[in-house]
Amino acid sequence: MTAPLTPPQQPPNDPAWPPPPPSHQGPAGDPITGAEVVQGLVVTAASAIAGAVLGVLWVWLAPSVQLISDGKGVYLRDSEGEAAIGADGTFVLLALAFGAVAGLVVFLARRKGGVPLVLGLAAGGVLGSLLAWWLGTKLGPTADVIAHAKAVGPEVVFDAPLKLQMGAAAMLAWPLAAMVVHLLLTGVLGPRDPEPGPWDTSKR
């Protein structure tokens, strides 16, 4: 004689049995919505526009590289000076500060985070750095050094155009700082996923 295949105690014939599993999704499991994509685009645009401020500050704060002409050629007034490195350092420090502020502002405005916001911080940081680089070179001394030397005359000191010796690396300072700050704040102060229930077998 075989034992019955059904459990000895079977729940009553209730259409609501068994109860449905609780429907919950943490921030990481939520699908990307159109609103989040729009927010990411807004972050990108705002960061790019902020690059204009970075460019103006770079022109204002970067040390000047001084040149001098003898009527035949143009030379560095101080061949051992570190002003050229200082211009790069000023740009990188400003870009790091702008990126950190961008990451903080985005976190405070949208604590839940999301992939579009992170991508917006990265893309906006690169665009903002490129705009700052372009604007700084336009607002600074002219790039036509020969014409500038002829205009001021021989033995007259004038400023060299702004340049970035480490252009590619400087372009990454802003987006890296923004993403690192946003990631740290989200990890420490961001919302937590709900505790897994009895129906949540994906985390067991």
Side-chain angles (χ1 to χ4, degrees), residues 9-203:
Q9 294 182 354
Q10 187 173 6
N13 187 16
D14 188 351
W17 183 271
S23 59
H24 64 268
Q25 285 184 316
D30 293 339
I32 297 176
T33 63
E36 290 177 334
V37 173
V38 172
Q39 292 170 359
L41 293 176
V42 170
V43 170
T44 302
S47 298
I49 294 173
V53 181
L54 173 57
V56 173
L57 289 176
W58 183 40
V59 175
W60 183 34
L61 298 176
S64 300
V65 178
Q66 294 186 330
L67 303 176
I68 191 170
S69 172
D70 61 358
K72 297 180 181 179
V74 180
Y75 310 95
L76 287 171
R77 185 189 182 191
D78 184 4
S79 59
E80 297 181 358
E82 299 180 353
I85 300 176
D88 283 48
T90 301
F91 187 96
V92 171
L93 290 177
L94 288 172
L96 290 173
F98 271 66
V101 171
L104 174 61
V105 170
V106 169
F107 172 77
L108 294 178
R110 179 72 174 173
R111 287 179 178 267
K112 188 177 179 181
V115 175
L117 290 178
V118 176
L119 294 178
L121 284 172
V126 173
L127 293 176
S129 298
L130 289 172
L131 177 59
W133 187 5
W134 175 83
L135 188 61
T137 55
K138 293 298 182 182
L139 295 179
T142 177
D144 193 344
V145 176
I146 301 300
H148 196 179
K150 291 180 179 179
V152 300
E155 305 303 329
V156 177
V157 177
F158 61 97
D159 292 337
L162 272 178
K163 292 183 179 180
L164 282 178
Q165 307 298 328
M166 50 178 187
M171 295 300 103
L172 297 177
W174 182 335
L176 285 178
M179 290 189 294
V180 167
V181 169
H182 186 268
L183 177 63
L184 290 177
L185 291 175
T186 302
V188 175
L189 303 176
R192 296 291 186 268
D193 291 340
E195 293 294 331
W199 292 95
D200 192 356
T201 59
S202 62
K203 297 183 180 181

